[in-house]
Amino acid sequence: MPANSFNGHTDYGIGIGLRVPHYAHILEKKPVVDWFEIISENFMVDGGRPLQVLDQIMEQYRVVQHGVSMYFGSADKPDRAHLKKLKALVKRTKTPWLSDHLCWGSVDGTYTHDLLPMPYTFASAKRTAEKIRQIRDYLEVPICVENVSSYAEYHVSEMSEWEFLSEVVERADCGILLDVNNIYVSAKNHDFNPYDYINGVPHHRVGQMHVAGHTKFEKYILDTHDHPVLDPVWKLYAHATKLCGVTATLLEWDDKIPSFDEVHDEALKANEFIDGAKKAKNSKRAAKAGAPVASS
Amino acid sequence: MPRSISSIRATGLKAPPKHAPRRLASTNDVVKLQRLMTHILIRPLTKSDGLQPVWIDGRPMTEVAEEFIKPNDRLSAFERLQLYNRMYWFRLIDIMHDDNPGLRAVLGDKKFTRLIEAYLAKYPSRSFTLRNLCSRLGQFIREESRWTAPHTALATNVVRFEWAQTVAFDEAQLPVLSAAEIARTPPVRLRLRLQPYITLLALDYPVDTYVVAVKQRNALRTEASNAVDKVREAKQSKYVARPRRERIYVAVHRLDNWLYYKRLGRPAFLILQAIAAGQTLDDAVTAGGRRVKPEQVGGWFAMWMELGWLCRKK
């Protein structure tokens, strides 16, 4: 299940986000890392140091592209210039899959640079799925859409967020980047059970997972990516891994970024839960096999 | 802060609907909802960093918010929208703060923030990338000098210099023209171009040395934040004096992916400017003026070619 058509049939292990404060360490020390996730927009440029660094990284590591501005849910048509630059980067990185968010953030060509929540309606699910298909067909790479953390809901919504996510990905026939921290944040902000969310999505479509830290305030939680992952999020991750199988996982740490080793060590904590999921899977298989004849 | 519908239309963002759609049956309904929310999110914050209490049609903002946003037992619809409104402004101001250390030093933090708020209110982002957020800041300062007065001339120079650094950082590098290629075409027919990452600036203030001094001062303050022995030194260098008027010519460029600025003499600047404008090599050299000696021009071209500045014009 983990290596599926939505992540290019790859088995990528545990990655971390490629961030500027770590460039020197990575290029000099060449630490062992399964893969790096890059923010596509940071490298959708025509030259200079960003592309030089990217090329150096790609000599040593596998990279996967993650976008923040495709806005699958915006009513605007996809921007041709944007897509052209993105496709050039896809060709450069040979990313096995590409992810961006299930959200909107621009209208009439004006950008908020935010990941704004979707109205969960059938009409917007249909439209969003069509846009994902168009973009995937142009880019010629599998797409995984990521659930965002949100702080507002609309009266017009007709279903739960996970029903909407399922509706979109089934219609678009695309993958899911399941961000378990975002599920936790939104669950607290909108009073739903995060386990219902994880149980409710099509597990065979999950091509990648995100974990991250968040910040609690008195009346809400913000998705800040400036802390280690909190225990309830790891528990959700363990649950998601049991249901979806061992999936390419990435730790996001975007603010107050500590040393490379600290970020990487935090990401590798996911191994604990992955091992648990593997053991559970193996014991289920063993149970199906009947009684052992002899020990090997 | 005044913000009329006509100024919004000038940015490309169409007017918001009078009311939020009650259901989303069509793409048009989705557009209406997204327009309304975008207009709310990009409205400037109040002095206390809150969502403005009155909507552009005079209705209470609480009423507008309740039309389309659900409250919960902890936050009203207004407060939920306010979270997004704040995040929009805090994020974009932070980015422009980082991208414009020189302009910030000219104006001071408070005045700089007011300028940015006015700029983004008039020119919200029209690009998918935050890299282009400051692309119209120079134009805005020329249009609305009240935000930078009495330092508008200096501010305009600094903004041009700081934007040139963005261009130098990540614009394309084209194949460099060799001396042999130049020699193959007669100067009366040869048209060259400059690398896209180069910006030529004729400035009224020596903002190159000023911005570098400001950056060094800022770096020192950052270093000093955790070091007691450096605090005194940082305090001493807190202020970088604004430069006095002085005509300078500068090329902002990159070499081996590091950013540089290079002072130029006026004749050399005029020649490069003529090349950038698409004139033939012969005409470009003439643009340098009668006093320029052939050996001087030869020396400049040798240097520009060594720096990889010259390419063939398509």
Side-chain angles (χ1 to χ4, degrees):
Chain A
M1 193 186 295
N4 53 37
S5 61
F6 309 110
N7 56 27
H9 299 287
T10 59
D11 187 3
Y12 262 33
I14 298 169
I16 58 173
L18 181 66
R19 300 292 180 262
V20 174
H22 295 155
Y23 282 0
H25 179 90
I26 296 164
L27 295 174
E28 282 169 26
K29 308 280 181 186
K30 298 183 173 46
V32 176
V33 183
D34 288 344
W35 57 287
F36 284 108
E37 186 182 78
I38 62 165
I39 301 297
S40 299
E41 287 75 3
N42 292 348
F43 300 93
M44 288 162 66
V45 294
D46 295 324
R49 186 158 161 71
L51 294 181
Q52 182 196 27
V53 169
L54 179 60
D55 289 344
Q56 286 175 308
I57 293 287
M58 287 191 308
E59 284 171 14
Q60 303 281 337
Y61 300 98
R62 302 180 295 191
V63 301
V64 175
Q65 284 182 225
H66 179 55
V68 293
S69 65
M70 187 49 75
Y71 296 143
F72 296 127
S74 282
D76 287 352
K77 286 180 181 168
D79 179 83
R80 299 293 294 180
H82 183 174
L83 282 177
K84 209 173 162 188
K85 278 184 182 276
L86 187 55
K87 187 161 186 173
L89 187 64
V90 165
K91 282 185 176 171
R92 191 179 196 111
T93 64
K94 299 180 178 62
T95 184
W97 74 94
L98 177 142
S99 61
D100 207 314
H101 300 82
L102 183 55
C103 69
W104 69 278
S106 63
V107 66
D108 297 330
T110 292
Y111 287 75
T112 65
H113 300 287
D114 203 347
L115 307 171
L116 300 172
M118 296 292 299
Y120 307 134
T121 70
F122 288 101
S124 55
K126 186 181 171 192
R127 182 176 174 77
T128 303
E130 282 170 8
K131 195 165 173 181
I132 293 168
R133 279 179 178 273
Q134 283 173 13
I135 292 167
R136 182 187 55 211
D137 290 350
Y138 179 81
L139 296 176
E140 299 177 293
V141 66
I143 285 180
C144 287
V145 294
E146 178 182 355
N147 56 295
V148 297
S149 49
S150 64
Y151 315 102
E153 294 175 298
Y154 305 96
H155 288 303
V156 290
S157 286
E158 297 161 351
M159 62 189 100
S160 68
E161 185 188 335
W162 57 95
E163 287 167 337
F164 180 76
L165 172 62
S166 304
E167 182 76 15
V168 169
V169 296
E170 293 292 351
R171 280 177 176 273
D173 191 21
C174 71
I176 296 173
L177 193 176
L178 196 67
D179 189 318
V180 290
N181 179 59
N182 287 350
I183 292 174
Y184 182 82
V185 169
S186 294
K188 291 296 170 190
N189 288 338
H190 306 311
D191 303 307
F192 64 77
N193 183 341
Y195 288 88
D196 288 345
Y197 194 125
I198 291 175
N199 294 340
V201 297
H203 304 126
H204 67 286
R205 289 189 180 275
V206 177
Q208 188 190 334
M209 291 192 205
H210 269 174
V211 288
H214 57 254
T215 305
K216 289 180 186 176
F217 294 89
E218 190 187 340
K219 295 181 177 179
Y220 54 90
I221 295 183
L222 277 186
D223 180 27
T224 47
H225 296 185
D226 61 351
H227 282 74
V229 182
L230 277 83
D231 280 346
V233 175
W234 280 127
K235 283 179 185 161
L236 276 179
Y237 174 74
H239 183 70
T241 304
K242 274 182 197 160
L243 294 177
C244 303
V246 179
T247 307
T249 297
L250 181 117
L251 169 73
E252 293 182 297
W253 201 319
D254 298 315
D255 203 4
K256 298 176 193 164
I257 300 175
S259 70
F260 175 87
D261 288 335
E262 197 174 326
V263 173
H264 196 208
D265 288 348
E266 182 67 19
L268 293 177
K269 285 180 187 171
N271 273 323
E272 189 184 323
F273 306 99
I274 288 171
D275 290 345
K278 278 180 181 167
K279 277 177 193 162
K281 190 179 175 185
N282 289 340
S283 59
K284 270 186 191 172
R285 282 181 67 219
K288 282 179 188 168
V293 176
S295 59
S296 57
Chain B
M1 189 170 300
R3 182 150 178 268
S4 66
I5 290 291
S6 62
S7 74
I8 294 163
R9 281 179 181 149
T11 70
L13 179 60
K14 292 179 183 163
K18 287 185 179 171
H19 293 280
R22 292 189 175 183
R23 52 193 290 268
L24 301 187
S26 67
T27 302
N28 197 32
D29 294 333
V30 177
V31 172
K32 280 183 185 171
L33 181 80
Q34 294 184 348
R35 257 184 214 140
L36 175 62
M37 188 145 162
T38 301
H39 275 278
I40 293 170
L41 301 192
I42 69 175
R43 274 195 109 193
L45 297 167
T46 61
K47 280 184 181 171
S48 53
D49 289 335
L51 180 60
Q52 290 194 32
V54 180
W55 183 228
I56 49 180
D57 63 3
R59 283 187 295 158
M61 195 62 226
T62 49
E63 186 184 317
V64 178
E66 283 161 7
E67 269 187 1
F68 72 110
I69 297 292
K70 281 185 194 174
N72 67 10
D73 58 352
R74 287 151 287 153
L75 292 171
S76 66
F78 178 96
E79 287 169 323
R80 289 183 135 190
L81 278 178
Q82 182 169 257
L83 277 174
Y84 283 104
N85 185 212
R86 282 179 176 160
M87 285 192 286
Y88 171 81
W89 282 102
F90 292 169
R91 181 185 307 111
L92 297 196
I93 289 172
D94 267 2
I95 289 163
M96 297 196 72
H97 194 271
D98 291 346
D99 285 353
N100 298 278
L103 182 60
R104 204 155 31 91
V106 170
L107 300 176
D109 281 346
K110 275 188 185 173
K111 201 166 177 177
F112 173 81
T113 303
R114 283 199 292 271
L115 166 72
I116 296 310
E117 285 170 353
Y119 166 62
L120 289 174
K122 184 170 182 180
Y123 292 124
S125 174
R126 299 286 293 169
S127 168
F128 69 89
T129 168
L130 288 163
R131 180 254 194 209
N132 295 332
L133 203 55
C134 302
S135 62
R136 289 181 288 183
L137 186 54
Q139 179 190 337
F140 177 75
I141 290 173
R142 287 193 299 278
E143 290 167 353
E144 300 200 18
S145 59
R146 67 183 186 276
W147 303 102
T148 45
H151 304 295
T152 300
L154 175 59
T156 306
N157 277 214
V158 170
V159 166
R160 289 174 67 201
F161 184 73
E162 292 189 320
W163 176 249
Q165 291 174 67
T166 299
V167 172
F169 182 68
D170 58 17
E171 269 295 343
Q173 179 172 1
L174 302 179
V176 176
L177 206 60
S178 68
E181 286 174 291
I182 291 181
R184 272 202 295 270
T185 313
V188 288
R189 284 202 288 123
L190 181 62
R191 290 178 200 274
L192 306 174
R193 64 170 290 184
L194 300 184
Q195 291 285 4
Y197 58 74
I198 297 174
T199 305
L200 301 172
L201 296 169
L203 300 167
D204 296 319
Y205 294 86
V207 297
D208 47 359
T209 50
Y210 175 70
V211 171
V212 169
V214 167
K215 283 185 175 180
Q216 282 171 347
R217 185 272 316 258
N218 291 351
L220 186 61
R221 289 166 81 180
T222 307
E223 273 179 33
S225 62
N226 291 319
V228 177
D229 58 335
K230 292 238 178 156
V231 170
R232 195 174 301 139
E233 196 182 341
K235 279 182 179 167
Q236 283 169 355
S237 64
K238 193 176 174 185
Y239 182 72
V240 178
R242 293 187 192 99
R244 292 183 177 184
R245 268 186 182 271
E246 177 193 338
R247 188 68 165 167
I248 64 163
Y249 301 92
V250 186
V252 181
H253 69 111
R254 70 170 185 255
L255 185 66
D256 299 332
N257 288 324
W258 290 98
L259 300 192
Y260 290 89
Y261 67 90
K262 185 169 182 58
R263 285 274 182 109
L264 302 165
R266 187 167 183 273
F269 176 86
L270 292 173
I271 293 172
L272 286 169
Q273 198 176 42
I275 290 171
Q279 294 188 22
T280 63
L281 186 57
D282 205 36
D283 289 343
V285 171
T286 307
R290 288 180 201 163
R291 292 183 185 174
V292 180
K293 294 173 184 168
E295 56 269 28
Q296 274 182 301
V297 176
W300 293 335
F301 270 86
M303 181 179 63
W304 297 336
M305 290 178 66
E306 193 180 337
L307 293 172
W309 286 9
L310 303 177
C311 335
R312 180 177 290 279
K313 190 170 173 63
K314 280 182 185 172

